[in-house]
Amino acid sequence: MKVEFAPLSLPLQRRLQTASVVQWVFSFLCLAQCCVAAFIALFFTRFWLVSVLYAAWWFIDREKPNKGGRKINALRKSIIWRYMRDYFPVTLVKTADLDPRQNYLMGFHPHGVLAAGAFINFCTDASGFSTLFPGITPHLMMLSLWFRIPFLRDYLMSGGLVSSSKESASYVLQKPGGGNLLTIIVGGAQEALDARPGSYTLLLKNRKGFVRLAIEHGTPLVPIFSFGENDLFNQVRNPKGSWLRQLQHRLQQIMGISLPLFHARGVFQYSFGLIPYRRPICTVVGKPIPVQRKHRPSEEEVDQVHQKYLNELSKLFEEHKAKYNIPEDKHLEFI
């Protein structure tokens, strides 16, 4: 006998969607501190052995974030990510097939404040990545700093996140047999300081390390533009040269992470809070750009491939912007 469950009411669905986003924002803002606090606090309880054993495991496993991580598909396919997908909602669009016999390097743009599109599309299967790109295993790079935090490092790796080091990137890109995809949010934390609605400024003009990496491994480059990524939060005005921007830049140099002062809506009201607005995100994956392998490419060769990448990214943006209500006079700006 088949048991059928009644569909959830719309108000309940919306509450579950909001709850999923709240826990995701919490994981970005507070989970690191909570994990450190729990690890230390356990030493002063009768459960001190948990921290001791974990510390031993942590030492033995310390290189795993640089060795492809430890993906747990059951967590990637959790229903909580589908609720988070529907909150915005998030859509993944394919413009070309990817050959599972090859490895790929994807450049994700823009960073946004919290990189929601990158997380949903490449750290979970909520937007149907495995269906759109069968035979391809996604990995998303994240600052190495986060993998030094107890417990949190294992949570991050479960979704396919890997350390943002050259060693880590090379490990994924040179895996034999193909079928691996490495996604790099090229603008990084610094680009987050320019993330605000209506902004199409990308920190990309002088970022060429990912291009050199692709040439060294002969890995095709795939441009991605995530429409709506910058529309999720408002940010306190911080023009270049202002005291706030200088302070943020200085803190980034010290800590490695940027601290954008953002705000949007609350949990029970819509006027102010840290929960993102319900605005659609559409992540468009472009066509692969073939790259000829060369162990030590010259600056000129890197510049040529980099310029081709900029052209293809701009072309991708121009071809799709009208579908997502972006004015005709708006174009990508590379700084």
Side-chain angles (χ1 to χ4, degrees), residues 21 24 81-93 108 115-122 124 126-128 226-229 232 279-284:
V21 173
W24 172 71
W81 306 129
R82 296 201 294 273
Y83 283 122
M84 182 177 170
R85 173 202 64 194
D86 295 338
Y87 173 90
F88 297 100
V90 178
T91 307
L92 183 63
V93 176
F108 184 93
F119 178 82
I120 284 292
N121 289 309
F122 303 111
T124 81
S127 58
S226 193
F227 293 90
E229 194 74 44
L232 307 184
R279 293 173 179 170
I281 302 172
C282 189
T283 303
V284 183

Side-chain angles (χ1 to χ4, degrees), residues 40-52:
I40 296 173
L42 284 172
F43 277 110
F44 302 96
T45 71
R46 59 178 177 170
F47 301 107
W48 59 270
L49 188 59
V50 173
S51 287
V52 171

Side-chain angles (χ1 to χ4, degrees), residues 65-67 105 141 162-175 182 184 213 217 219:
N66 292 318
K67 302 294 183 183
L105 196 160
M141 297 194 86
V162 295
S163 177
S164 59
S165 66
K166 187 174 181 179
E167 176 191 358
S168 175
S170 296
Y171 182 88
V172 174
L173 296 179
Q174 66 189 10
K175 275 188 173 183
L182 181 67
I184 301 177
L213 195 63
H217 292 87
T219 307

Side-chain angles (χ1 to χ4, degrees), residues 110-113 194-201 226 228-233:
H111 183 286
V113 171
D194 289 312
R196 48 178 48 85
S199 173
Y200 304 103
T201 301
S226 193
E229 194 74 44
N230 282 343
D231 298 335
L232 307 184
F233 297 94

Side-chain angles (χ1 to χ4, degrees), residues 37 42 114 163 222 276-277 304:
L42 284 172
L114 295 180
S163 177
V222 183
Y277 293 117
Q304 288 176 353

Side-chain angles (χ1 to χ4, degrees), residues 94-108:
K94 179 179 76 172
T95 62
D97 291 327
L98 298 182
D99 186 351
R101 294 171 296 181
Q102 277 193 307
N103 295 325
Y104 296 89
L105 196 160
M106 284 187 169
F108 184 93

